[in-house]
């Protein structure tokens, strides 16, 4: 298993983590962007006056998963470039490039990108899981 320790800088506890979905339809004007998966039902709320670039800055860490409800893969990536394409009618939309080869191809519709505002550093360590003990029960 992998143990991940994430460091937050000036984290605002009122700003909750949120998920973004990829736009994979090449005919969509938002193709290649990460967008609010449900902008009409429960839109992503940013702190008053903030844009996505205030919440996710170059160097921030984001968490990628392969499925929104039953993920099997989790990976942390560092944002290199962030661009805000949000509009009042379309909701939250962002373009983001990552350090290293993240997806290799166009992201699949089920993939999610979780934004944890203020996540600035992380350490991942491989760990061996042991059997149950008084510490794990």
């Amino acid at each position: 298993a992998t143990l991940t320790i994430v460091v937050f800088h000036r984290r605002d506890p009122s700003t909750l983590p949120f998920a973004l979905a990829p736009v994979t339809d090449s005919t969509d004007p938002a193709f290649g962007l990460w967008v609010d998966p449900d902008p009409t039902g429960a839109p992503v709320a940013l702190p008053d006056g903030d844009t996505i670039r205030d919440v996710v800055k170059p160097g921030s860490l984001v968490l990628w998963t392969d499925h929104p409800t039953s993920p099997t893969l989790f990976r942390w990536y560092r944002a290199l470039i962030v661009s805000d394409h949000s509009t009042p009618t379309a909701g939250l939309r962002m373009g983001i490039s990552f350090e290293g080869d993240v997806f290799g191809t166009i992201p699949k519709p089920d993939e999610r990108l979780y934004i944890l505002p203020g996540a600035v550093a992380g350490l991942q360590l491989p760990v061996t899981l042991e059997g149950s003990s008084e510490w794990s029960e």
Side-chain angles (χ1 to χ4, degrees):
T2 301
L3 170 67
T4 303
I5 301 166
V6 178
V7 178
F8 292 87
H9 176 70
R10 301 181 78 189
R11 182 179 176 274
D12 179 0
S14 66
T15 305
L16 300 174
F18 56 89
L20 298 175
V23 178
T24 57
D25 179 1
S26 61
T27 63
D28 190 320
F31 177 67
L33 298 180
W34 290 90
V35 300
D36 183 345
D38 186 17
T40 56
V44 169
L46 299 179
D48 287 339
D50 279 0
T51 66
I52 191 65
R53 288 188 299 171
D54 297 320
V55 176
V56 184
K57 297 178 180 177
S60 297
L61 290 179
V62 295
L63 179 64
W64 170 90
T65 65
D66 62 342
H67 197 273
T69 56
S70 56
T72 57
L73 296 172
F74 298 91
R75 294 189 182 118
W76 288 94
Y77 292 106
R78 186 169 306 283
L80 292 178
I81 298 172
V82 180
S83 58
D84 189 355
H85 299 267
S86 302
T87 66
T89 55
L92 185 72
R93 294 169 177 234
M94 66 179 285
I96 184 169
S97 65
F98 302 95
E99 191 175 73
D101 180 22
V102 177
F103 307 107
T105 61
I106 297 168
K108 295 174 185 62
D110 282 344
E111 294 177 359
R112 291 294 181 268
L113 192 65
Y114 290 91
I115 308 297
L116 289 83
V120 295
L123 174 66
Q124 291 186 306
L125 302 169
V127 295
T128 303
L129 299 177
E130 298 179 5
S132 64
S133 71
E134 61 187 59
W135 300 103
S136 64
E137 294 178 359

